[in-house]
């Protein structure tokens, strides 16, 4: 019997999870809901367990190998510029969509019962999110941006130390290989984890929670779909000169896992493999761009969602927004992405936006009930953007292996294949 591909296994897991979730919800099967929840949470926990050593060693080794990479500073600058450009386009579309559909108009909710979150995002999150106060805490609490910072610093120190740092770098390379091998085993469990995660979402939350906030919920999904199916394909086709259809064919497993796991960090191992083994991005460059994007490239959580949510909250509380406010929303979304953790949820970014605009933070409480359902499409958008930008930059720098990009997708349920790529010219 022909073996199922990994993508088909993920789709089957998704279908089984939805079916089991509806069974658990309709017939109120408590033990099934609990089982789905446990299966999903264990899978995400396994993914996150591998993230700190993966990010740290990948960044450290890639920084230390800069002596073999031409134009490293140019690559980093282009990546950051594309992050900012796509974020600006996404938030502009979200603001336009919000003004068109007026998501909070006519909505009657008990604003007095809403509570502000205990912690609101501030601009100090930039500093505290990058500079660790405790090295151990950065790893135990999976503060990815801090881990990236530590990897860059130690990698630069190893680069400066020269031959004396070789024993340390050899150890880091060995750890990186071991982590990647272990991640293969975790990735093989993705279909089971997908069933648990989507099943838990359906059985616990259900789609009926969307009814009171249907217009806002539809706006978030429509906004993310516009970015996913219009903005990214246009950039890939006209700027990257590659096929958007092939890109989504290659990237689909990571997008699907992001949708059900609701975690850019949890999806990072698969995003890394897809970028290198399917999209043909140079491995040294991908080791920078993908972990960096997992914490700062948030078109769903930091652009589309906070823009629509700010308009929604303002309309619900009867506050008029002006042109200056919309420009401020765009500024916060583009510049404030680094304050958004690559973990489940976008509360930090939303509170940062509302507090900057002077809107009631109690508005966050109005949206918490449906946040898990909205977070699925937000995270899928985030992770897609984290794969699009490396393709664009690699293509412009001649670091995209078009033979790999256009080839039948490399199986992701098999051990990582180490290949010597021959980059195509831009």
């Amino acid at each position: 019997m022909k073996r199922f591909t990994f993508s088909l296994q993920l789709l089957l897991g998704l279908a089984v999870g939805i079916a089991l979730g509806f069974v658990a919800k309709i017939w109120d099967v408590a033990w099934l809901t609990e089982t789905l929840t446990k299966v999903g949470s264990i899978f995400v926990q396994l993914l996150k367990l591998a993230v700190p050593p993966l990010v740290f060693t990948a960044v450290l080794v890639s920084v230390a190998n800069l002596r073999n990479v031409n134009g490293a500073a140019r690559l980093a600058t282009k990546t950051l510029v594309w992050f900012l450009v796509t974020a600006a386009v996404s938030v502009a579309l979200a603001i336009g969509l919000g003004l068109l559909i007026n998501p909070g108009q006519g909505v009657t909710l008990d604003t007095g019962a809403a509570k502000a979150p205990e912690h609101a995002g501030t601009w100090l999150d930039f500093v505290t999110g990058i500079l660790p106060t405790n090295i151990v805490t950065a790893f135990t609490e999976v503060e990815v941006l801090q881990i990236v910072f530590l990897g860059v610093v130690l990698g630069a120190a190893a680069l400066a130390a020269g031959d004396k740092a070789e024993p340390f770098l050899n150890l880091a390379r060995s750890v990186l290989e071991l982590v990647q091998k272990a991640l293969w085993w975790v990735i093989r469990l993705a279909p089971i984890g997908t069933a648990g995660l989507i099943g838990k979402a359906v059985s616990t939350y259900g789609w009926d929670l969307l009814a009171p906030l249907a217009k806002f919920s539809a706006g978030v999904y429509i906004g993310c779909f516009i970015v996913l199916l219009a903005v990214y394909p246009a950039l890939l086709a006209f700027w990257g000169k590659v096929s958007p259809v092939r890109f989504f064919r290659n990237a689909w497993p990571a997008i699907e896992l992001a949708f059900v796991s609701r975690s850019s960090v949890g999806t990072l191992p698969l995003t890394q493999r897809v970028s290198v083994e399917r999209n043909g991005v140079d491995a040294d460059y991908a080791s920078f761009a993908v972990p960096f994007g997992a914490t700062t490239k948030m078109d769903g959580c930091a652009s589309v969602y906070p823009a629509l949510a700010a308009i929604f909250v303002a309309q619900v509380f009867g506050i008029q927004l002006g042109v200056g406010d919309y420009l401020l929303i765009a500024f916060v979304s583009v510049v404030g992405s680094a304050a958004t953790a690559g973990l489940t949820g976008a509360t930090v970014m939303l509170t940062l936006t509302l507090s900057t605009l002077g809107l009631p933070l109690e508005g966050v409480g109005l949206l918490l009930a449906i946040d898990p359902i909205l977070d699925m499409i937000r995270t899928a958008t985030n992770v897609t953007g984290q794969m699009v930008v490396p393709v664009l930059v690699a293509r412009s720098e001649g670091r995209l292996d078009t033979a790999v990009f256009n080839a039948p997708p490399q199986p992701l349920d098999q051990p990582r294949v180490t290949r010597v790529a021959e980059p195509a010219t831009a």
Side-chain angles (χ1 to χ4, degrees):
M1 189 174 76
K2 187 177 179 180
R3 189 175 179 218
F4 289 150
T5 65
F6 185 63
S7 295
L8 182 56
Q9 292 174 33
L10 286 174
L11 284 173
L12 290 173
L14 186 66
V16 170
I18 291 174
L20 292 177
F22 273 116
V23 168
K25 184 171 181 61
I26 293 173
W27 284 284
D28 194 22
V29 186
W31 67 266
L32 182 55
T33 299
E34 184 178 353
T35 301
L36 291 169
T37 302
K38 287 289 185 184
V39 170
S41 62
I42 289 173
F43 176 67
V44 172
Q45 185 177 348
L46 287 173
L47 283 176
K48 292 180 180 179
L49 182 64
V51 167
L54 172 70
V55 173
F56 178 72
T57 54
V59 172
L60 191 157
V61 170
S62 60
V63 170
N65 288 340
L66 282 179
R67 62 172 67 95
N68 302 320
V69 179
N70 295 324
R74 186 173 65 254
L75 282 170
T77 301
K78 278 191 174 183
T79 303
L80 181 59
V81 168
W82 272 113
F83 281 3
L84 297 176
V85 168
T86 51
V89 173
S90 299
V91 72
L93 289 171
I95 291 174
L97 181 63
L99 295 175
L100 179 65
I101 67 174
N102 294 311
Q105 203 170 73
V107 176
T108 55
L109 294 171
D110 184 7
T111 56
K115 295 182 179 179
E118 294 181 3
H119 175 70
T122 68
W123 291 102
L124 288 178
D125 287 321
F126 278 113
V127 177
T128 58
I130 297 174
L131 301 177
T133 56
N134 186 299
I135 294 178
V136 175
T137 302
F139 283 86
T140 57
E141 297 186 2
V142 197
E143 297 289 350
V144 179
L145 201 57
Q146 296 181 6
I147 295 172
V148 170
F149 174 80
L150 291 171
V152 169
V153 171
L154 286 180
L159 185 63
D163 294 338
K164 294 181 179 179
E166 276 305 310
F168 173 70
L169 289 177
N170 288 332
L171 174 62
R173 294 185 185 105
S174 297
V175 173
L176 179 58
E177 287 298 320
L178 290 173
V179 172
Q180 288 174 330
K181 174 67 73 173
L183 283 176
W184 168 55
W185 300 331
V186 177
I187 289 171
R188 286 292 288 112
L189 300 174
I192 299 174
T194 295
L197 289 166
I198 196 66
K200 181 252 188 182
V202 173
S203 63
T204 302
Y205 303 105
W207 304 108
D208 54 312
L209 288 176
L210 297 175
L213 301 168
K215 191 185 294 186
F216 172 73
S217 303
V220 172
Y221 269 79
I222 291 171
C224 287
F225 277 129
I226 291 174
V227 174
L228 278 169
L229 303 179
V231 175
Y232 292 155
L235 291 174
L236 290 167
F238 296 108
W239 185 273
K241 306 296 183 183
V242 295
S243 168
V245 174
R246 288 194 178 98
F247 169 83
F248 280 100
R249 177 201 63 180
N250 294 337
W252 171 248
I255 297 172
E256 183 181 1
L257 182 58
F259 183 82
V260 295
S261 69
R262 299 167 44 222
S263 171
S264 295
V265 169
T267 311
L268 174 58
L270 190 55
T271 308
Q272 184 94 3
R273 288 197 65 177
V274 165
S275 296
V276 175
E277 297 181 20
R278 287 190 165 195
N279 285 336
V281 177
D282 177 73
D284 289 332
Y285 166 60
S287 66
F288 280 112
V290 176
F292 183 44
T295 55
T296 60
K297 180 60 183 161
M298 303 286 174
D299 289 341
C301 288
S303 295
V304 175
Y305 177 70
L308 286 169
I311 294 173
F312 169 82
V313 170
Q315 291 178 346
V316 168
F317 283 88
I319 300 172
Q320 189 70 30
L321 296 179
V323 175
D325 295 313
Y326 294 120
L327 292 175
L328 195 56
I329 291 174
F331 173 78
V332 174
S333 297
V334 173
V335 181
S337 299
T340 305
L343 299 171
T344 302
T347 302
V348 171
M349 192 63 205
L350 179 54
T351 56
L352 176 61
T353 304
L354 296 182
S355 61
T356 303
L357 290 169
L359 295 175
L361 291 179
E362 287 78 8
V364 178
L366 301 176
L367 304 175
L368 288 179
I370 61 169
D371 188 73
I373 294 175
L374 300 181
D375 200 27
M376 291 190 286
I377 190 62
R378 293 192 314 238
T379 308
T381 306
N382 295 342
V383 170
T384 305
Q386 293 160 18
M387 291 182 284
V388 167
V389 170
V391 169
L392 296 176
V393 175
R395 178 65 166 159
S396 68
E397 290 290 318
R399 293 180 177 275
L400 185 71
D401 192 331
T402 53
V404 173
F405 184 91
N406 294 319
Q410 173 74 22
L412 296 172
D413 54 347
Q414 296 179 4
R416 183 175 60 90
V417 177
T418 302
R419 67 173 83 214
V420 179
E422 296 179 1
T425 57

